[in-house]
Amino acid sequence: METPQPQAPGPAPLTVPPPANPTLTGRTALVTGAASGIGRACAQALAAAGAHVHVVDKAADAAKSLAEAIGGTAWVADLAVPDMVDTLPADADIVVNNAGLQHVAPVHEFPPDRFALIQRVMVETPFRILRRTLPGMYERGWGRVVNISSVHGLRASPYKSAYVTAKHALEGLSKVVALEAAEHGVTSNCVCPGYVRTPLVENQIADQARTHGISEEEVVGRVMLERSAIKRLIDPGDVAEAVLWLCGPRTGHITGTSLAMDGGWTAN
């Protein structure tokens, strides 16, 4: 009787991971500027994935209406007032820094108080929120920080000195948090969309149409999307899906990054 010869090991069985469908049941999210636009879409997406969402906005009626619709909690807060952050909950596992505003003028005509306001809302407030919420994330060993930056956090445009400065600063803050928070199971990333169809952008379209004496369609195609390969505005829901993905179960090694959703703008 022949002695059986040892068989060479075969290939390991192929394992296909399950779809990365974020389940955030039991998590708490805080979204600023959540009553409309990108913030609203993010709040809806996070709530649909099971998170309890703190809806933060100065638009009281809209914030309360959204919170009621998604089973969240409304916090009416003017984030231009620095101490207002101290009234917000500190128990968030997920922070989406989204609140922002815009002002367009050349540097030599830019109102200093408006410049300072934009830095306060879009840089100092995210810092204050993270200073307040990170200790709890560290204690629990899990957290997700998603900063809604912009293509203007990666590139500049004329007449937007305050906004471009603020978004570049937010990118820097996000990277510092990524380095400090990594050992605690907390990630920090930026999402950088181009022009998104939000009330803020809609107002810019109307303003530029009046200023240049052209149609709103021409403003979108010839002015706003001139540097984009994809010639259409981004839907807020698409940005929210990216935010949700960054909060999901298979993105624990993605930190300190800037996810460009700019239709190819930064490929130039």
Side-chain angles (χ1 to χ4, degrees):
M1 182 175 180
E2 294 184 2
T3 303
Q5 297 297 310
Q7 299 293 312
L14 180 64
T15 58
V16 180
N21 181 24
T23 300
L24 299 177
T25 301
R27 302 294 187 189
T28 299
L30 186 149
V31 183
T32 65
S36 65
I38 294 172
R40 180 182 179 86
C42 289
Q44 291 171 322
L46 292 167
H52 180 87
V53 180
H54 294 302
V55 177
V56 181
D57 205 290
K58 66 178 183 179
D61 291 344
K64 291 174 183 177
S65 176
L66 175 62
E68 182 178 354
I70 65 174
T73 304
W75 297 84
V76 180
D78 183 355
L79 298 178
V81 181
D83 292 344
M84 189 64 73
V85 168
D86 295 335
T87 70
L88 301 179
D91 65 343
D93 303 297
I94 298 164
V95 169
V96 181
N97 285 310
N98 167 72
L101 65 157
Q102 178 66 281
H103 186 88
V104 178
V107 170
H108 66 283
E109 297 176 359
F110 210 101
D113 59 341
R114 196 71 177 169
F115 188 96
L117 171 66
I118 289 173
Q119 308 315 306
R120 196 157 59 243
V121 172
M122 295 170 57
V123 183
E124 182 177 348
T125 290
F127 160 74
R128 285 176 174 266
I129 288 173
L130 293 175
R131 184 175 183 273
R132 184 172 171 79
T133 56
L134 282 173
M137 296 184 198
Y138 292 173
E139 184 178 342
R140 292 185 293 275
W142 191 92
R144 296 290 182 266
V145 177
V146 185
N147 300 297
I148 305 301
S149 180
S150 165
V151 66
H152 284 118
L154 308 173
R155 297 289 188 273
S157 290
Y159 312 119
K160 298 180 179 179
S161 57
Y163 189 86
V164 170
T165 297
K167 291 302 189 183
H168 274 68
L170 185 63
E171 294 274 342
L173 174 63
S174 183
K175 290 178 173 64
V176 170
V177 171
L179 297 178
E180 293 183 3
E183 64 180 296
H184 303 287
V186 178
T187 65
S188 176
N189 295 286
C190 287
V191 176
C192 305
Y195 285 102
V196 182
R197 192 172 287 282
T198 65
L200 186 148
V201 169
E202 296 282 5
N203 290 336
Q204 288 184 58
I205 294 171
D207 288 344
Q208 292 201 38
R210 285 192 296 269
T211 300
H212 297 291
I214 59 178
S215 70
E216 293 190 1
E217 290 74 16
E218 288 177 294
V219 170
V220 173
R222 286 171 43 193
V223 180
M224 290 188 164
L225 302 181
E226 178 186 6
R227 287 173 283 184
S228 294
I230 299 174
K231 302 296 185 183
R232 64 176 182 272
L233 297 177
I234 303 167
D235 187 86
D238 292 347
V239 182
E241 285 297 320
V243 171
L244 187 61
W245 176 71
L246 287 170
C247 297
R250 298 190 180 278
T251 54
H253 277 78
I254 300 176
T255 195
T257 65
S258 299
L259 176 60
M261 298 182 65
D262 59 6
W265 183 331
T266 52
N268 287 308

